[in-house]
Amino acid sequence: MSDWNVADLPDQTGRTIVVTGPTLGGLGHHTALELARRGGRVILAGRNPAKVEETVAAIRVEVPKAQLEALHLDLASLSSVRTAAAAAAQVGPIDVLVNNAGVMGTKYSRTADGLELQMATNHFGPFLLTGLLLPQLVQSEDGRVVTVSSLFHTFAGRAPLGPPREQKGRYNTWRVYGQTKLANLYLTSELERRLRAADLPVRALAAHPGFAGTHLAANGQYGRSSGGIASILDAGVKAVSQTAEAGAWPTLMAATADLPGDTFVGPGGFRQLSGRPRVVGRSRLARNEENARRLWEISEQTVDLRYP
Ligand SMILES: NC(=O)c1ccc[n+]([C@@H]2O[C@H](COP(=O)([O-])OP(=O)(O)OC[C@H]3O[C@@H](n4cnc5c(N)ncnc54)[C@H](OP(=O)(O)O)[C@@H]3O)[C@@H](O)[C@H]2O)c1
């Protein structure tokens, strides 16, 4: 078990952190809250402006002087990601980008860009956003990209290397979710490799929260987090998992601790489901560098951006 403690989170004064998916009660909310509590300027990037404002208000109750800004971002739309990144250009240097937002277990659907919804939201959108914000991460002179993966990466079966705009075979939403979380680890390792090759002052790390009581399951199954059966599922998840607050700790450690690139941080408790964060390993498939390289090239073609 690690001795990392949220109370040791270093002072964030003067640092700018972008957190995607900051909806109240989720990991993004708690990540943003702790960074704001330590004096960081936090850009809350969400797809629903009313929900982002709700989180801003909740953080201000705890941290009245919190420096918070809202950014409209729909990761399931490549044009929205481009618009958001253009708006974020006025933010200046970015110290940390936290690719936190995600969906899980959604019904089969395709976005306006022709991409499967989970791959679009969890991988291709963050891939494009990371590339577009990279110049600002470089400007900070010690930037970090922290991408939130999952233990589900071990259920991927195989890497998502097929044509992203075609569905081959039967759609298994859990398998695809696992593949998106495997893709998060490939993005991290391949980005880190490319950053070192290009000698850029940015690191790529990954984190996973174990099992945390957020709205992820209800959102994925019912498209909402409250009302009828969605409330029941939401409450059920909370009853058997660690808190969302604790679920954010691995992300916070990856975002601030003195760790090398391509580090993966997760909870240190039983089967990594809960507990204080520590550096963790990943599946053999997730360590496959050739897959990471191929997914990178597919992603570049898919979003029409080459970087670094
Ligand atoms: N909770 C867990 O146990 C667990 C375990 C492993 C990994 N994770 C990962 O943790 C991350 C955060 O999830 P969470 O558990 O905090 O779930 P959550 O409470 O459902 O939060 C997910 C966030 O992602 C946002 N989002 C969804 N689709 C989006 C889109 N198209 N564009 C922009 N934002 C979008 C949601 O916004 P809306 O509120 O507008 O939908 C929400 O803010 C995800 O990447 C998930 O895969 C969670």
Side-chain angles (χ1 to χ4, degrees):
M1 187 73 95
S2 129
D3 55 4
W4 188 95
N5 192 312
V6 70
D8 303 331
L9 205 65
D11 185 19
Q12 298 296 306
T13 306
R15 287 163 65 79
T16 297
I17 304 113
V18 177
V19 180
T20 69
T23 301
L24 200 62
L27 304 179
H29 163 211
H30 289 281
T31 303
L33 169 63
E34 295 310 324
L35 293 166
R37 208 195 292 284
R38 297 300 185 288
R41 171 191 181 211
V42 186
I43 315 294
L44 302 164
R47 62 175 165 176
N48 181 329
K51 285 190 181 182
V52 174
E53 283 315 312
E54 206 179 7
T55 304
V56 167
I59 293 177
R60 285 207 204 287
V61 169
E62 292 201 45
V63 188
K65 290 190 175 154
Q67 289 185 70
L68 305 171
E69 289 163 43
L71 180 68
H72 186 250
L73 167 73
D74 182 353
L75 287 162
S77 157
L78 297 178
S79 71
S80 170
V81 175
R82 287 185 181 277
T83 305
Q90 48 82 29
V91 162
I94 295 172
D95 296 278
V96 188
L97 165 64
V98 181
N99 285 320
N100 164 78
V103 289
M104 176 181 80
T106 50
K107 287 198 187 77
Y108 178 71
S109 75
R110 296 234 155 225
T111 67
D113 302 301
L115 301 168
E116 185 280 327
L117 180 62
Q118 295 190 87
M119 275 301 285
T121 311
N122 299 1
H123 172 68
F124 290 113
F127 178 88
L128 178 59
L129 183 69
T130 302
L132 294 173
L133 297 187
L134 190 60
Q136 286 161 268
L137 287 153
V138 170
Q139 273 172 26
S140 81
E141 295 177 4
D142 186 17
R144 278 191 205 205
V145 177
V146 176
T147 302
V148 181
S149 178
S150 168
L151 286 172
F152 257 92
H153 84 270
T154 58
F155 298 124
R158 58 185 153 76
L161 300 176
R165 293 187 168 88
E166 284 172 34
Q167 176 58 33
K168 296 231 167 101
R170 198 175 64 84
Y171 179 76
N172 178 332
T173 187
W174 301 106
R175 175 64 55 95
V176 172
Y177 176 68
Q179 290 176 343
T180 70
K181 297 288 118 180
L182 176 66
N184 294 153
L185 291 172
Y186 285 155
L187 180 145
T188 301
S189 59
E190 182 64 11
L191 175 59
E192 175 63 22
R193 197 185 66 73
R194 288 172 184 250
L195 289 167
R196 297 291 65 79
D199 199 20
L200 291 170
V202 180
R203 275 176 273 182
L205 296 90
H208 84 80
F211 183 27
T214 68
H215 304 311
L216 191 66
N219 277 337
Q221 294 308 296
Y222 305 112
R224 60 183 200 278
S225 60
S226 62
I229 194 162
S231 294
I232 295 169
L233 179 58
D234 212 53
V237 167
K238 285 193 174 67
V240 296
S241 60
Q242 68 170 344
T243 61
E245 187 183 355
W249 294 344
T251 304
L252 289 163
M253 179 173 162
T256 61
D258 185 14
L259 294 167
D262 200 27
T263 299
F264 190 23
V265 182
F270 178 67
R271 298 203 168 184
Q272 297 180 28
L273 291 169
S274 64
R276 296 246 288 270
R278 64 170 169 83
V279 174
V280 296
R282 65 195 80 177
S283 69
R284 177 197 284 259
L285 184 60
R287 295 195 301 271
N288 186 313
E289 292 175 10
E290 174 61 13
N291 283 350
R293 189 187 60 73
R294 282 173 61 200
L295 181 63
W296 188 277
E297 287 167 1
I298 291 167
S299 305
E300 285 184 331
Q301 284 164 16
T302 303
V303 308
D304 196 20
L305 179 74
R306 273 150 198 81
Y307 68 94

